[in-house]
Each structure stands twice: as C-alpha cells, then as structure tokens.
Amino acid sequence: MLRRTALALFATAFAGPAFAQAYPNKPITIVVPFSAGGPTDVMARIVGERMGRELGQQMIIDNVTGAAGTIGVGKVARSAPDGYTIGIGHLGTNVVNGAIYKNLNYDLLGDLVPIALLPSNPLLVVTSNQVPAKDLKELVAYLKANPDKVSGGTAGMGSGSHIGVLAFFAATGTNYQLVPYRGTGPAAQDLMANQIQIMIDQSSNSLPHVRAGKIRAYAVTAKQRNAAAPDIPTTAEAGFPGIEVAIWHGLWAPKGTPPEIINKLNAAAVVALKDPEVRRRLEDLGQDIPTPEQMQPAAFTAYQKAEFAKWKPIIEKAGVKVE
Ligand code: MLT
C-alpha cells in the first residue's frame, strides 16, 4: 500500500507543468543500444552534443549493449518518464526487433514515446581487402564458391546490419556464416583485420574505412548513388536489384514522459539538424537528413507504425524469429 502511494506520488511529480517548465535542470542520458564508436553511437554523439547546447545541459552517452539492441531499448522503456533518460535507436531496434523477438519484456510501440526522427543512411556491401573480388558479381560468385571460407559480421538478429544481410541473401542466393557483435563498430575492426570477411554495414560506419583504403566497397543498398560516395554503384547497377535498405534513426522516451518535455527535446533535435556543421558531418557519412516536419513527434509516430506494418510480414515470411 505504502509502495503504491509512493509510486503514485512519484508519477504525479513528473506530471505538473512546473516540472516540465524547469526541465532540464540536470544532465540527460541518451541510452545507445550498441557499442561505442559504431553508427548509432556516432549519431548520438553528433546530434546529442548540439541538442545539449540548445537545452543548456550535458547529454551523457550510456552504451547499453547486447541482443541486437533489445537490452538498451528495454532499459529506456523501464526508466522514469522524467525526460532525463531517453534512447536512440533505429529501424532495427525500434521496428524489426518487435517482429523478431517473441519474448521482449517491453512493448516496442506502447512503452516508448517517439521524440524525433533522425537521419537515415544506406548500407554498403563491404569486404576485407583479402577477398579477391573486383565487383559485386565477382563477390557473389566468390561467396557461392567458398561458403566455408567466409563469415560476416552483424550486430545481432534484427540489427541494421542483419536486415541488410537478409536482403542480400534473398537477392543474391548466397549464404554465409554470421558472427554477432555488440555493434558494428567492433565488427568493422575485425573486418579490417580479416577476422571476418564481409559486412552489409551502414555507410556512416563503413565509409571512413573505405575512404582510408582499409576495406573494399562493392555497392550501396539504395535506388540512387550516395552523394558522399558517388563512385560506389547501387546494388541494381552492380547487377543485383532488390537490395534497397536504409537505416533511419530516432529518439524515444519512456511512456508517460510529459508532452511538454517531448516537445522540448524535439525542438532541440530540430535545431541540431538545422546546424550547418552537424549537417556537414552527417552528410559526409552518407546520412540523409529529415525535414523538421518529418521529425515532429506525431509524424514520427505515424512513420514508425507504418514501418512496423511494412516490416512485420517481411520478417515473418523470412522465418526469422528468436523465441
Ligand atoms: C551500431 O550502432 O552498432 C549499429 O547500428 C548496429 C546495427 O544495427 O547494425
């Protein structure tokens, strides 16, 4: 009884307009559900730093990794709805995982409130420099001829890199062994060292290594070439249509976070993505920046639901599930 009263007091403490007006008066934690140095982490740091300047508070990055982001997203869903713990995620963590993981201890659509849509980037088909293929057709032939010599990195079932693999396998008829990592940051390190041979990885993670000549890129999973990497052909141009995947990102808060706080966070994210330096850094990584209208909480909520309706049957048809 006492506990219930205490909980009720705790909940109403966040509900008042005075609480929302004073917000934020201490640092805000952004939970990143993948490893430091990977694409989600980089997005959180670039956008979060600028949001923090706008909000007058520091944004602290907390990497809570494992199980394709489900551990970190679960932590956000169970956090106090006071605006001081929010989460960054993407198409994989906040849509596809809802279809793959049958035993999530949170409701992906019900327990998290969308704050703002963030940029989206395509995937690149990349290999270690040891793989002897000059173009995508040669790579596919090599993968078919050497199924036992090749393993590929992903950030777990349902991650962005795994969604890319599913599309790649379906379009090319290939199949290789998958090694799960806590994020594609460390996976890319292993790719450079040829511990793994292939990844279908977000451009923001792989492009810097491609530019440095440390890995090789064969194609971009988009209808059009990416302005940040105009020399890399699309998968269709390289001979394999039907591999079009973009990984969009977003910010979420626990259910029950006051709308005034959601709006303050949204406004800070909009300011961040209007900043020319932030735009330059993100676009250089191949990111496509959403408009302020697309970023609005209501528009983002509708988009996430539409993406869920689109991806659920695709995942079910592919028979990918974790019980
Ligand atoms: C990461 O930040 O490591 C990635 O977003 C992982 C992925 O989804 O492939």
Side-chain angles (χ1 to χ4, degrees), residues 32-42 63 68-69 89-90 92-93 121 123 153-156 158-163 181-187 199-202 204-205 247 249:
V32 173
F34 295 106
S35 315
T40 320
D41 182 75
V42 167
N63 298 88
H90 61 32
T93 55
N121 67 158
L123 302 152
T154 76
S159 61
S161 39
H162 182 243
I163 300 167
Y181 288 80
R182 286 177 178 266
T184 52
M199 284 173 70
I200 318 294
D201 189 23
Q202 292 178 57
S204 63
N205 198 43
I247 307 298
H249 297 79

PDB file of all heavy atoms in Angstrom, residues 32-42 63 68-69 89-90 92-93 121 123 153-156 158-163 181-187 199-202 204-205 247 249, ligand 1:
ATOM      1  N   VAL A  32      22.429   4.383 -25.700  1.00  0.00           N
ATOM      2  CA  VAL A  32      22.783   3.894 -27.042  1.00  0.00           C
ATOM      3  C   VAL A  32      22.813   2.374 -26.945  1.00  0.00           C
ATOM      4  O   VAL A  32      23.605   1.823 -26.173  1.00  0.00           O
ATOM      5  CB  VAL A  32      24.163   4.435 -27.478  1.00  0.00           C
ATOM      6  CG1 VAL A  32      24.601   3.799 -28.790  1.00  0.00           C
ATOM      7  CG2 VAL A  32      24.138   5.950 -27.599  1.00  0.00           C
ATOM      8  N   PRO A  33      21.975   1.668 -27.711  1.00  0.00           N
ATOM      9  CA  PRO A  33      21.891   0.217 -27.508  1.00  0.00           C
ATOM     10  C   PRO A  33      22.971  -0.601 -28.219  1.00  0.00           C
ATOM     11  O   PRO A  33      22.850  -1.816 -28.326  1.00  0.00           O
ATOM     12  CB  PRO A  33      20.493  -0.119 -28.038  1.00  0.00           C
ATOM     13  CG  PRO A  33      20.213   0.923 -29.068  1.00  0.00           C
ATOM     14  CD  PRO A  33      20.953   2.161 -28.651  1.00  0.00           C
ATOM     15  N   PHE A  34      24.012   0.068 -28.731  1.00  0.00           N
ATOM     16  CA  PHE A  34      25.120  -0.633 -29.394  1.00  0.00           C
ATOM     17  C   PHE A  34      26.457  -0.062 -28.890  1.00  0.00           C
ATOM     18  O   PHE A  34      26.482   0.951 -28.184  1.00  0.00           O
ATOM     19  CB  PHE A  34      25.035  -0.469 -30.915  1.00  0.00           C
ATOM     20  CG  PHE A  34      23.817  -1.128 -31.522  1.00  0.00           C
ATOM     21  CD1 PHE A  34      22.750  -0.360 -31.963  1.00  0.00           C
ATOM     22  CD2 PHE A  34      23.738  -2.505 -31.655  1.00  0.00           C
ATOM     23  CE1 PHE A  34      21.622  -0.957 -32.515  1.00  0.00           C
ATOM     24  CE2 PHE A  34      22.617  -3.114 -32.204  1.00  0.00           C
ATOM     25  CZ  PHE A  34      21.561  -2.335 -32.641  1.00  0.00           C
ATOM     26  N   SER A  35      27.550  -0.690 -29.332  1.00  0.00           N
ATOM     27  CA  SER A  35      28.892  -0.333 -28.853  1.00  0.00           C
ATOM     28  C   SER A  35      29.289   1.099 -29.198  1.00  0.00           C
ATOM     29  O   SER A  35      28.848   1.651 -30.213  1.00  0.00           O
ATOM     30  CB  SER A  35      29.936  -1.228 -29.512  1.00  0.00           C
ATOM     31  OG  SER A  35      29.535  -2.549 -29.519  1.00  0.00           O
ATOM     32  N   ALA A  36      30.199   1.610 -28.396  1.00  0.00           N
ATOM     33  CA  ALA A  36      30.806   2.916 -28.676  1.00  0.00           C
ATOM     34  C   ALA A  36      31.564   2.851 -30.000  1.00  0.00           C
ATOM     35  O   ALA A  36      32.139   1.822 -30.346  1.00  0.00           O
ATOM     36  CB  ALA A  36      31.753   3.287 -27.553  1.00  0.00           C
ATOM     37  N   GLY A  37      31.528   3.948 -30.741  1.00  0.00           N
ATOM     38  CA  GLY A  37      32.279   4.026 -31.993  1.00  0.00           C
ATOM     39  C   GLY A  37      31.509   3.542 -33.205  1.00  0.00           C
ATOM     40  O   GLY A  37      31.952   3.738 -34.333  1.00  0.00           O
ATOM     41  N   GLY A  38      30.347   2.909 -33.004  1.00  0.00           N
ATOM     42  CA  GLY A  38      29.538   2.429 -34.129  1.00  0.00           C
ATOM     43  C   GLY A  38      28.579   3.513 -34.610  1.00  0.00           C
ATOM     44  O   GLY A  38      28.566   4.627 -34.080  1.00  0.00           O
ATOM     45  N   PRO A  39      27.763   3.187 -35.612  1.00  0.00           N
ATOM     46  CA  PRO A  39      26.915   4.220 -36.231  1.00  0.00           C
ATOM     47  C   PRO A  39      25.883   4.857 -35.303  1.00  0.00           C
ATOM     48  O   PRO A  39      25.659   6.069 -35.374  1.00  0.00           O
ATOM     49  CB  PRO A  39      26.226   3.478 -37.377  1.00  0.00           C
ATOM     50  CG  PRO A  39      26.475   2.038 -37.167  1.00  0.00           C
ATOM     51  CD  PRO A  39      27.675   1.894 -36.293  1.00  0.00           C
ATOM     52  N   THR A  40      25.265   4.069 -34.413  1.00  0.00           N
ATOM     53  CA  THR A  40      24.244   4.647 -33.531  1.00  0.00           C
ATOM     54  C   THR A  40      24.905   5.566 -32.519  1.00  0.00           C
ATOM     55  O   THR A  40      24.398   6.658 -32.199  1.00  0.00           O
ATOM     56  CB  THR A  40      23.463   3.527 -32.809  1.00  0.00           C
ATOM     57  OG1 THR A  40      23.226   2.461 -33.727  1.00  0.00           O
ATOM     58  CG2 THR A  40      22.149   4.022 -32.268  1.00  0.00           C
ATOM     59  N   ASP A  41      26.061   5.117 -32.035  1.00  0.00           N
ATOM     60  CA  ASP A  41      26.828   5.902 -31.068  1.00  0.00           C
ATOM     61  C   ASP A  41      27.288   7.228 -31.698  1.00  0.00           C
ATOM     62  O   ASP A  41      27.162   8.298 -31.078  1.00  0.00           O
ATOM     63  CB  ASP A  41      28.033   5.052 -30.643  1.00  0.00           C
ATOM     64  CG  ASP A  41      28.895   5.709 -29.596  1.00  0.00           C
ATOM     65  OD1 ASP A  41      28.462   5.742 -28.426  1.00  0.00           O
ATOM     66  OD2 ASP A  41      29.990   6.190 -29.935  1.00  0.00           O
ATOM     67  N   VAL A  42      27.777   7.152 -32.917  1.00  0.00           N
ATOM     68  CA  VAL A  42      28.263   8.366 -33.595  1.00  0.00           C
ATOM     69  C   VAL A  42      27.101   9.350 -33.790  1.00  0.00           C
ATOM     70  O   VAL A  42      27.230  10.551 -33.528  1.00  0.00           O
ATOM     71  CB  VAL A  42      28.942   8.002 -34.943  1.00  0.00           C
ATOM     72  CG1 VAL A  42      29.173   9.230 -35.799  1.00  0.00           C
ATOM     73  CG2 VAL A  42      30.260   7.274 -34.676  1.00  0.00           C
ATOM     74  N   ASN A  63      26.262   3.516 -23.252  1.00  0.00           N
ATOM     75  CA  ASN A  63      26.187   2.374 -24.181  1.00  0.00           C
ATOM     76  C   ASN A  63      25.725   1.132 -23.426  1.00  0.00           C
ATOM     77  O   ASN A  63      26.473   0.581 -22.616  1.00  0.00           O
ATOM     78  CB  ASN A  63      27.552   2.118 -24.830  1.00  0.00           C
ATOM     79  CG  ASN A  63      28.018   3.303 -25.670  1.00  0.00           C
ATOM     80  OD1 ASN A  63      28.652   4.227 -25.171  1.00  0.00           O
ATOM     81  ND2 ASN A  63      27.675   3.301 -26.925  1.00  0.00           N
ATOM     82  N   ALA A  68      21.099  -7.395 -30.046  1.00  0.00           N
ATOM     83  CA  ALA A  68      20.639  -6.543 -31.157  1.00  0.00           C
ATOM     84  C   ALA A  68      19.937  -5.282 -30.673  1.00  0.00           C
ATOM     85  O   ALA A  68      19.015  -4.780 -31.314  1.00  0.00           O
ATOM     86  CB  ALA A  68      19.742  -7.331 -32.110  1.00  0.00           C
ATOM     87  N   GLY A  69      20.364  -4.777 -29.545  1.00  0.00           N
ATOM     88  CA  GLY A  69      19.812  -3.508 -29.055  1.00  0.00           C
ATOM     89  C   GLY A  69      18.649  -3.667 -28.100  1.00  0.00           C
ATOM     90  O   GLY A  69      18.199  -2.691 -27.491  1.00  0.00           O
ATOM     91  N   GLY A  89      17.636   4.866 -31.212  1.00  0.00           N
ATOM     92  CA  GLY A  89      17.519   3.551 -31.829  1.00  0.00           C
ATOM     93  C   GLY A  89      17.358   3.722 -33.329  1.00  0.00           C
ATOM     94  O   GLY A  89      17.565   4.814 -33.866  1.00  0.00           O
ATOM     95  N   HIS A  90      16.977   2.646 -33.993  1.00  0.00           N
ATOM     96  CA  HIS A  90      16.813   2.735 -35.446  1.00  0.00           C
ATOM     97  C   HIS A  90      15.777   1.735 -35.948  1.00  0.00           C
ATOM     98  O   HIS A  90      15.093   1.077 -35.151  1.00  0.00           O
ATOM     99  CB  HIS A  90      18.169   2.628 -36.146  1.00  0.00           C
ATOM    100  CG  HIS A  90      18.936   1.340 -35.920  1.00  0.00           C
ATOM    101  ND1 HIS A  90      18.337   0.115 -35.735  1.00  0.00           N
ATOM    102  CD2 HIS A  90      20.270   1.107 -35.876  1.00  0.00           C
ATOM    103  CE1 HIS A  90      19.261  -0.820 -35.610  1.00  0.00           C
ATOM    104  NE2 HIS A  90      20.446  -0.236 -35.673  1.00  0.00           N
ATOM    105  N   GLY A  92      16.011  -1.138 -36.983  1.00  0.00           N
ATOM    106  CA  GLY A  92      16.168  -2.482 -36.407  1.00  0.00           C
ATOM    107  C   GLY A  92      15.657  -2.552 -34.986  1.00  0.00           C
ATOM    108  O   GLY A  92      14.775  -3.352 -34.657  1.00  0.00           O
ATOM    109  N   THR A  93      16.180  -1.696 -34.122  1.00  0.00           N
ATOM    110  CA  THR A  93      15.857  -1.783 -32.693  1.00  0.00           C
ATOM    111  C   THR A  93      14.400  -1.444 -32.401  1.00  0.00           C
ATOM    112  O   THR A  93      13.814  -2.024 -31.488  1.00  0.00           O
ATOM    113  CB  THR A  93      16.738  -0.816 -31.872  1.00  0.00           C
ATOM    114  OG1 THR A  93      16.582   0.504 -32.403  1.00  0.00           O
ATOM    115  CG2 THR A  93      18.187  -1.209 -31.905  1.00  0.00           C
ATOM    116  N   ASN A 121      20.597   6.345 -43.271  1.00  0.00           N
ATOM    117  CA  ASN A 121      21.711   6.083 -44.209  1.00  0.00           C
ATOM    118  C   ASN A 121      21.588   4.703 -44.826  1.00  0.00           C
ATOM    119  O   ASN A 121      21.035   3.780 -44.224  1.00  0.00           O
ATOM    120  CB  ASN A 121      23.079   6.299 -43.550  1.00  0.00           C
ATOM    121  CG  ASN A 121      23.454   5.328 -42.455  1.00  0.00           C
ATOM    122  OD1 ASN A 121      24.621   5.150 -42.139  1.00  0.00           O
ATOM    123  ND2 ASN A 121      22.474   4.677 -41.845  1.00  0.00           N
ATOM    124  N   LEU A 123      23.133   1.096 -46.579  1.00  0.00           N
ATOM    125  CA  LEU A 123      24.183   0.154 -46.200  1.00  0.00           C
ATOM    126  C   LEU A 123      25.157   0.020 -47.358  1.00  0.00           C
ATOM    127  O   LEU A 123      24.782   0.225 -48.521  1.00  0.00           O
ATOM    128  CB  LEU A 123      23.555  -1.207 -45.888  1.00  0.00           C
ATOM    129  CG  LEU A 123      22.501  -1.201 -44.766  1.00  0.00           C
ATOM    130  CD1 LEU A 123      21.492  -2.326 -44.969  1.00  0.00           C
ATOM    131  CD2 LEU A 123      23.152  -1.344 -43.414  1.00  0.00           C
ATOM    132  N   GLY A 153      29.961 -10.199 -40.379  1.00  0.00           N
ATOM    133  CA  GLY A 153      29.626  -9.605 -39.080  1.00  0.00           C
ATOM    134  C   GLY A 153      28.282  -8.913 -39.112  1.00  0.00           C
ATOM    135  O   GLY A 153      27.926  -8.277 -40.107  1.00  0.00           O
ATOM    136  N   THR A 154      27.529  -9.067 -38.006  1.00  0.00           N
ATOM    137  CA  THR A 154      26.314  -8.268 -37.813  1.00  0.00           C
ATOM    138  C   THR A 154      26.281  -7.841 -36.354  1.00  0.00           C
ATOM    139  O   THR A 154      27.054  -8.346 -35.541  1.00  0.00           O
ATOM    140  CB  THR A 154      25.006  -9.051 -38.088  1.00  0.00           C
ATOM    141  OG1 THR A 154      24.757  -9.927 -36.988  1.00  0.00           O
ATOM    142  CG2 THR A 154      25.045  -9.841 -39.372  1.00  0.00           C
ATOM    143  N   ALA A 155      25.344  -6.962 -36.036  1.00  0.00           N
ATOM    144  CA  ALA A 155      25.167  -6.571 -34.630  1.00  0.00           C
ATOM    145  C   ALA A 155      24.028  -7.372 -34.011  1.00  0.00           C
ATOM    146  O   ALA A 155      23.348  -6.897 -33.106  1.00  0.00           O
ATOM    147  CB  ALA A 155      24.926  -5.077 -34.540  1.00  0.00           C
ATOM    148  N   GLY A 156      23.812  -8.597 -34.488  1.00  0.00           N
ATOM    149  CA  GLY A 156      22.790  -9.476 -33.924  1.00  0.00           C
ATOM    150  C   GLY A 156      21.529  -9.501 -34.772  1.00  0.00           C
ATOM    151  O   GLY A 156      21.325  -8.644 -35.632  1.00  0.00           O
ATOM    152  N   GLY A 158      18.202  -8.838 -36.220  1.00  0.00           N
ATOM    153  CA  GLY A 158      17.295  -7.700 -36.152  1.00  0.00           C
ATOM    154  C   GLY A 158      18.008  -6.366 -36.202  1.00  0.00           C
ATOM    155  O   GLY A 158      17.376  -5.324 -36.338  1.00  0.00           O
ATOM    156  N   SER A 159      19.343  -6.394 -36.108  1.00  0.00           N
ATOM    157  CA  SER A 159      20.092  -5.133 -36.207  1.00  0.00           C
ATOM    158  C   SER A 159      20.076  -4.648 -37.658  1.00  0.00           C
ATOM    159  O   SER A 159      19.697  -5.388 -38.576  1.00  0.00           O
ATOM    160  CB  SER A 159      21.537  -5.363 -35.756  1.00  0.00           C
ATOM    161  OG  SER A 159      22.148  -6.319 -36.599  1.00  0.00           O
ATOM    162  N   GLY A 160      20.519  -3.416 -37.859  1.00  0.00           N
ATOM    163  CA  GLY A 160      20.541  -2.866 -39.217  1.00  0.00           C
ATOM    164  C   GLY A 160      21.380  -3.723 -40.146  1.00  0.00           C
ATOM    165  O   GLY A 160      20.985  -4.024 -41.284  1.00  0.00           O
ATOM    166  N   SER A 161      22.550  -4.135 -39.656  1.00  0.00           N
ATOM    167  CA  SER A 161      23.451  -4.944 -40.486  1.00  0.00           C
ATOM    168  C   SER A 161      22.842  -6.316 -40.786  1.00  0.00           C
ATOM    169  O   SER A 161      23.103  -6.894 -41.841  1.00  0.00           O
ATOM    170  CB  SER A 161      24.798  -5.110 -39.771  1.00  0.00           C
ATOM    171  OG  SER A 161      24.618  -5.292 -38.379  1.00  0.00           O
ATOM    172  N   HIS A 162      21.996  -6.832 -39.885  1.00  0.00           N
ATOM    173  CA  HIS A 162      21.341  -8.124 -40.137  1.00  0.00           C
ATOM    174  C   HIS A 162      20.206  -7.965 -41.152  1.00  0.00           C
ATOM    175  O   HIS A 162      20.007  -8.831 -42.011  1.00  0.00           O
ATOM    176  CB  HIS A 162      20.819  -8.712 -38.821  1.00  0.00           C
ATOM    177  CG  HIS A 162      20.186 -10.057 -38.985  1.00  0.00           C
ATOM    178  ND1 HIS A 162      18.867 -10.292 -38.717  1.00  0.00           N
ATOM    179  CD2 HIS A 162      20.690 -11.238 -39.424  1.00  0.00           C
ATOM    180  CE1 HIS A 162      18.588 -11.567 -38.971  1.00  0.00           C
ATOM    181  NE2 HIS A 162      19.677 -12.155 -39.394  1.00  0.00           N
ATOM    182  N   ILE A 163      19.470  -6.843 -41.079  1.00  0.00           N
ATOM    183  CA  ILE A 163      18.420  -6.594 -42.079  1.00  0.00           C
ATOM    184  C   ILE A 163      19.073  -6.557 -43.467  1.00  0.00           C
ATOM    185  O   ILE A 163      18.557  -7.101 -44.440  1.00  0.00           O
ATOM    186  CB  ILE A 163      17.694  -5.255 -41.800  1.00  0.00           C
ATOM    187  CG1 ILE A 163      17.038  -5.255 -40.417  1.00  0.00           C
ATOM    188  CG2 ILE A 163      16.649  -4.952 -42.879  1.00  0.00           C
ATOM    189  CD1 ILE A 163      16.568  -3.881 -39.948  1.00  0.00           C
ATOM    190  N   TYR A 181      27.968  -9.364 -33.135  1.00  0.00           N
ATOM    191  CA  TYR A 181      28.767  -8.438 -32.308  1.00  0.00           C
ATOM    192  C   TYR A 181      27.807  -7.555 -31.506  1.00  0.00           C
ATOM    193  O   TYR A 181      26.618  -7.504 -31.794  1.00  0.00           O
ATOM    194  CB  TYR A 181      29.626  -7.533 -33.202  1.00  0.00           C
ATOM    195  CG  TYR A 181      30.789  -8.234 -33.867  1.00  0.00           C
ATOM    196  CD1 TYR A 181      30.592  -9.004 -35.019  1.00  0.00           C
ATOM    197  CD2 TYR A 181      32.073  -8.126 -33.357  1.00  0.00           C
ATOM    198  CE1 TYR A 181      31.652  -9.649 -35.631  1.00  0.00           C
ATOM    199  CE2 TYR A 181      33.142  -8.774 -33.971  1.00  0.00           C
ATOM    200  CZ  TYR A 181      32.928  -9.525 -35.105  1.00  0.00           C
ATOM    201  OH  TYR A 181      33.985 -10.157 -35.714  1.00  0.00           O
ATOM    202  N   ARG A 182      28.372  -6.802 -30.552  1.00  0.00           N
ATOM    203  CA  ARG A 182      27.535  -5.869 -29.776  1.00  0.00           C
ATOM    204  C   ARG A 182      27.335  -4.548 -30.505  1.00  0.00           C
ATOM    205  O   ARG A 182      26.733  -3.618 -29.981  1.00  0.00           O
ATOM    206  CB  ARG A 182      28.165  -5.622 -28.410  1.00  0.00           C
ATOM    207  CG  ARG A 182      27.975  -6.812 -27.512  1.00  0.00           C
ATOM    208  CD  ARG A 182      28.633  -6.668 -26.176  1.00  0.00           C
ATOM    209  NE  ARG A 182      28.345  -7.846 -25.394  1.00  0.00           N
ATOM    210  CZ  ARG A 182      27.333  -7.954 -24.536  1.00  0.00           C
ATOM    211  NH1 ARG A 182      26.538  -6.930 -24.317  1.00  0.00           N
ATOM    212  NH2 ARG A 182      27.114  -9.080 -23.898  1.00  0.00           N
ATOM    213  N   GLY A 183      27.851  -4.470 -31.705  1.00  0.00           N
ATOM    214  CA  GLY A 183      27.708  -3.270 -32.520  1.00  0.00           C
ATOM    215  C   GLY A 183      28.627  -3.413 -33.711  1.00  0.00           C
ATOM    216  O   GLY A 183      29.570  -4.212 -33.686  1.00  0.00           O
ATOM    217  N   THR A 184      28.361  -2.627 -34.761  1.00  0.00           N
ATOM    218  CA  THR A 184      29.199  -2.801 -35.954  1.00  0.00           C
ATOM    219  C   THR A 184      30.501  -2.003 -35.868  1.00  0.00           C
ATOM    220  O   THR A 184      31.351  -2.159 -36.733  1.00  0.00           O
ATOM    221  CB  THR A 184      28.419  -2.456 -37.238  1.00  0.00           C
ATOM    222  OG1 THR A 184      27.827  -1.173 -37.097  1.00  0.00           O
ATOM    223  CG2 THR A 184      27.362  -3.496 -37.526  1.00  0.00           C
ATOM    224  N   GLY A 185      30.651  -1.179 -34.804  1.00  0.00           N
ATOM    225  CA  GLY A 185      31.956  -0.532 -34.593  1.00  0.00           C
ATOM    226  C   GLY A 185      33.037  -1.590 -34.430  1.00  0.00           C
ATOM    227  O   GLY A 185      33.991  -1.659 -35.221  1.00  0.00           O
ATOM    228  N   PRO A 186      32.912  -2.483 -33.415  1.00  0.00           N
ATOM    229  CA  PRO A 186      33.920  -3.543 -33.265  1.00  0.00           C
ATOM    230  C   PRO A 186      33.938  -4.528 -34.429  1.00  0.00           C
ATOM    231  O   PRO A 186      35.002  -5.053 -34.782  1.00  0.00           O
ATOM    232  CB  PRO A 186      33.518  -4.258 -31.962  1.00  0.00           C
ATOM    233  CG  PRO A 186      32.273  -3.636 -31.473  1.00  0.00           C
ATOM    234  CD  PRO A 186      32.004  -2.390 -32.262  1.00  0.00           C
ATOM    235  N   ALA A 187      32.793  -4.776 -35.053  1.00  0.00           N
ATOM    236  CA  ALA A 187      32.771  -5.707 -36.201  1.00  0.00           C
ATOM    237  C   ALA A 187      33.637  -5.156 -37.336  1.00  0.00           C
ATOM    238  O   ALA A 187      34.376  -5.902 -37.990  1.00  0.00           O
ATOM    239  CB  ALA A 187      31.332  -5.933 -36.669  1.00  0.00           C
ATOM    240  N   MET A 199      30.630  -7.551 -44.567  1.00  0.00           N
ATOM    241  CA  MET A 199      29.543  -6.921 -43.812  1.00  0.00           C
ATOM    242  C   MET A 199      28.636  -6.171 -44.780  1.00  0.00           C
ATOM    243  O   MET A 199      29.080  -5.709 -45.832  1.00  0.00           O
ATOM    244  CB  MET A 199      30.097  -5.913 -42.787  1.00  0.00           C
ATOM    245  CG  MET A 199      30.694  -6.570 -41.557  1.00  0.00           C
ATOM    246  SD  MET A 199      31.493  -5.367 -40.483  1.00  0.00           S
ATOM    247  CE  MET A 199      30.094  -4.476 -39.867  1.00  0.00           C
ATOM    248  N   ILE A 200      27.365  -6.080 -44.397  1.00  0.00           N
ATOM    249  CA  ILE A 200      26.439  -5.190 -45.093  1.00  0.00           C
ATOM    250  C   ILE A 200      26.173  -4.119 -44.032  1.00  0.00           C
ATOM    251  O   ILE A 200      25.327  -4.286 -43.157  1.00  0.00           O
ATOM    252  CB  ILE A 200      25.131  -5.919 -45.505  1.00  0.00           C
ATOM    253  CG1 ILE A 200      25.414  -7.336 -46.051  1.00  0.00           C
ATOM    254  CG2 ILE A 200      24.342  -5.084 -46.499  1.00  0.00           C
ATOM    255  CD1 ILE A 200      26.162  -7.427 -47.343  1.00  0.00           C
ATOM    256  N   ASP A 201      26.916  -3.056 -44.108  1.00  0.00           N
ATOM    257  CA  ASP A 201      27.066  -2.164 -42.956  1.00  0.00           C
ATOM    258  C   ASP A 201      26.660  -0.731 -43.311  1.00  0.00           C
ATOM    259  O   ASP A 201      26.847  -0.281 -44.448  1.00  0.00           O
ATOM    260  CB  ASP A 201      28.546  -2.208 -42.540  1.00  0.00           C
ATOM    261  CG  ASP A 201      28.807  -1.510 -41.235  1.00  0.00           C
ATOM    262  OD1 ASP A 201      27.865  -1.360 -40.437  1.00  0.00           O
ATOM    263  OD2 ASP A 201      29.965  -1.115 -41.011  1.00  0.00           O
ATOM    264  N   GLN A 202      26.157  -0.028 -42.318  1.00  0.00           N
ATOM    265  CA  GLN A 202      25.721   1.351 -42.560  1.00  0.00           C
ATOM    266  C   GLN A 202      26.874   2.189 -43.122  1.00  0.00           C
ATOM    267  O   GLN A 202      28.014   2.070 -42.660  1.00  0.00           O
ATOM    268  CB  GLN A 202      25.201   1.972 -41.267  1.00  0.00           C
ATOM    269  CG  GLN A 202      23.901   1.335 -40.804  1.00  0.00           C
ATOM    270  CD  GLN A 202      23.419   1.928 -39.504  1.00  0.00           C
ATOM    271  OE1 GLN A 202      23.216   3.123 -39.389  1.00  0.00           O
ATOM    272  NE2 GLN A 202      23.221   1.088 -38.507  1.00  0.00           N
ATOM    273  N   SER A 204      27.613   5.157 -42.619  1.00  0.00           N
ATOM    274  CA  SER A 204      28.270   6.032 -41.635  1.00  0.00           C
ATOM    275  C   SER A 204      29.384   5.298 -40.899  1.00  0.00           C
ATOM    276  O   SER A 204      30.326   5.922 -40.426  1.00  0.00           O
ATOM    277  CB  SER A 204      27.250   6.575 -40.632  1.00  0.00           C
ATOM    278  OG  SER A 204      26.684   5.517 -39.897  1.00  0.00           O
ATOM    279  N   ASN A 205      29.282   3.977 -40.817  1.00  0.00           N
ATOM    280  CA  ASN A 205      30.312   3.181 -40.138  1.00  0.00           C
ATOM    281  C   ASN A 205      31.419   2.758 -41.103  1.00  0.00           C
ATOM    282  O   ASN A 205      32.592   2.786 -40.767  1.00  0.00           O
ATOM    283  CB  ASN A 205      29.671   1.922 -39.533  1.00  0.00           C
ATOM    284  CG  ASN A 205      30.532   1.265 -38.474  1.00  0.00           C
ATOM    285  OD1 ASN A 205      31.109   1.945 -37.636  1.00  0.00           O
ATOM    286  ND2 ASN A 205      30.620  -0.052 -38.514  1.00  0.00           N
ATOM    287  N   ILE A 247      18.696   2.637 -43.156  1.00  0.00           N
ATOM    288  CA  ILE A 247      18.515   2.532 -41.700  1.00  0.00           C
ATOM    289  C   ILE A 247      18.281   3.940 -41.151  1.00  0.00           C
ATOM    290  O   ILE A 247      19.209   4.751 -41.066  1.00  0.00           O
ATOM    291  CB  ILE A 247      19.746   1.884 -41.024  1.00  0.00           C
ATOM    292  CG1 ILE A 247      20.099   0.536 -41.683  1.00  0.00           C
ATOM    293  CG2 ILE A 247      19.495   1.713 -39.520  1.00  0.00           C
ATOM    294  CD1 ILE A 247      19.038  -0.538 -41.606  1.00  0.00           C
ATOM    295  N   HIS A 249      17.130   6.542 -38.062  1.00  0.00           N
ATOM    296  CA  HIS A 249      17.325   6.592 -36.607  1.00  0.00           C
ATOM    297  C   HIS A 249      16.236   7.426 -35.955  1.00  0.00           C
ATOM    298  O   HIS A 249      15.518   8.172 -36.628  1.00  0.00           O
ATOM    299  CB  HIS A 249      18.696   7.198 -36.280  1.00  0.00           C
ATOM    300  CG  HIS A 249      19.822   6.374 -36.789  1.00  0.00           C
ATOM    301  ND1 HIS A 249      20.204   6.397 -38.110  1.00  0.00           N
ATOM    302  CD2 HIS A 249      20.632   5.486 -36.184  1.00  0.00           C
ATOM    303  CE1 HIS A 249      21.205   5.557 -38.293  1.00  0.00           C
ATOM    304  NE2 HIS A 249      21.491   4.980 -37.129  1.00  0.00           N
TER     305      HIS A 249
HETATM  306  C1  MLT B   1      25.585   0.022 -34.319  1.00  0.00           C
HETATM  307  O1  MLT B   1      25.448   1.139 -33.846  1.00  0.00           O
HETATM  308  O2  MLT B   1      26.496  -0.741 -33.968  1.00  0.00           O
HETATM  309  C2  MLT B   1      24.665  -0.418 -35.429  1.00  0.00           C
HETATM  310  O3  MLT B   1      23.589   0.424 -35.586  1.00  0.00           O
HETATM  311  C3  MLT B   1      24.422  -1.848 -35.421  1.00  0.00           C
HETATM  312  C4  MLT B   1      23.485  -2.325 -36.489  1.00  0.00           C
HETATM  313  O4  MLT B   1      22.298  -2.150 -36.317  1.00  0.00           O
HETATM  314  O5  MLT B   1      23.934  -2.930 -37.455  1.00  0.00           O
END
